[in-house]
Amino acid sequence: WHMDYLGIPHAAVAQSFLVLVCAIALFTSRWWQNSETKKQTAVPRGLRSHVLYVTILIFIQLIIAATMRHQHAGLAITDFPLAYGKIWPATSAEAIANYNEHRMELNGENSITAFRVNLQMVHRFVAYAIFLGVAAAAMLARKKLGGSDWLTKSAFFWLGLLTLQIVLGAATIWSNKAADVTTLHVMVGASALLAGAL
């Protein structure tokens, strides 16, 4: 008896637990308690809310990713940056039958469906939106706080994580979901959420 859908709330709770444990570790650390930077830095309201919204979007993206992962459908889209040679692939019954006929995955995977194709496309477009949001956060931090501020440096580190995440997402497709690449993609996604939350 399989209840694969339980993997989705499990992923949400796991990500929330990671953020909570790391926040407790940070805010109770001797470094944080003795830090002068927390007393001196006033985070501008616009920057604070921007980071919050992008972090929430990352959390939503991780739920989308868990939904994809726990359907055991392999790669519903096998190419990147295009999708079956198009910006948005066809999802007609004939197109879906063609995708399933030409699959390269091992036996035992569930069939590709129009829902799975659309879900992976949503995952891609949300990834682009997150990247733009994090890039905007880094630019906003530099504009409001200056390039030497530790929050600005943290925002650019966050941008670096998102750049790596997109490269790993592409490599996941190009490597036909190689286990090491896919695992790194999941780990960096969790790290990006953690960076935004903290």
Side-chain angles (χ1 to χ4, degrees):
W1 186 44
H2 295 285
M3 294 192 298
D4 291 335
Y5 65 88
L6 285 178
I8 300 165
H10 178 259
V13 171
Q15 301 294 348
S16 302
F17 183 74
L18 173 68
V19 169
L20 180 62
V21 168
C22 291
I24 290 170
L26 173 63
F27 299 137
T28 59
S29 69
R30 182 173 290 132
W31 173 82
W32 181 264
Q33 297 298 322
N34 298 331
S35 176
E36 290 299 314
T37 55
K38 71 181 173 100
K39 297 169 188 148
Q40 294 172 354
T41 304
V43 181
R45 186 181 187 119
L47 176 59
R48 189 172 44 225
S49 60
H50 182 89
V51 169
L52 173 65
Y53 297 142
V54 174
T55 302
I56 290 169
L57 189 58
I58 291 173
F59 185 78
I60 291 167
Q61 176 75 324
L62 294 175
I63 301 305
I64 293 168
T67 304
M68 289 167 38
R69 214 169 31 252
H70 292 290
Q71 291 182 21
H72 305 291
L75 291 174
I77 301 170
T78 57
D79 56 334
F80 183 86
L82 295 176
Y84 293 108
K86 299 178 180 176
I87 293 174
W88 195 283
T91 55
S92 66
E94 295 81 15
I96 296 297
N98 186 47
Y99 303 156
N100 279 305
E101 189 176 319
H102 293 96
R103 291 183 72 180
M104 301 296 286
E105 284 108 349
L106 298 172
N107 291 334
E109 297 278 9
N110 293 331
S111 296
I112 295 170
T113 64
F115 173 76
R116 291 180 175 131
V117 170
N118 288 326
L119 187 65
Q120 288 203 9
M121 290 306 297
V122 167
H123 184 67
R124 289 184 183 194
F125 279 93
V126 171
Y128 298 139
I130 290 168
F131 179 79
L132 293 175
V134 173
M139 297 303 144
L140 193 60
R142 186 167 62 185
K143 179 181 176 186
K144 292 187 177 272
L145 301 171
S148 61
D149 188 272
W150 71 277
L151 283 174
T152 302
K153 291 176 183 175
S154 297
F156 276 94
F157 173 76
W158 197 23
L159 180 60
L161 273 178
L162 257 295
T163 303
L164 176 61
Q165 180 67 345
I166 288 176
V167 170
L168 287 170
T172 297
I173 295 166
W174 295 332
S175 69
N176 197 28
K177 281 181 65 180
D180 53 350
V181 177
T182 306
T183 301
L184 276 173
H185 184 58
V186 172
M187 289 173 54
V188 174
S191 300
L193 175 69
L194 186 59
L198 296 182

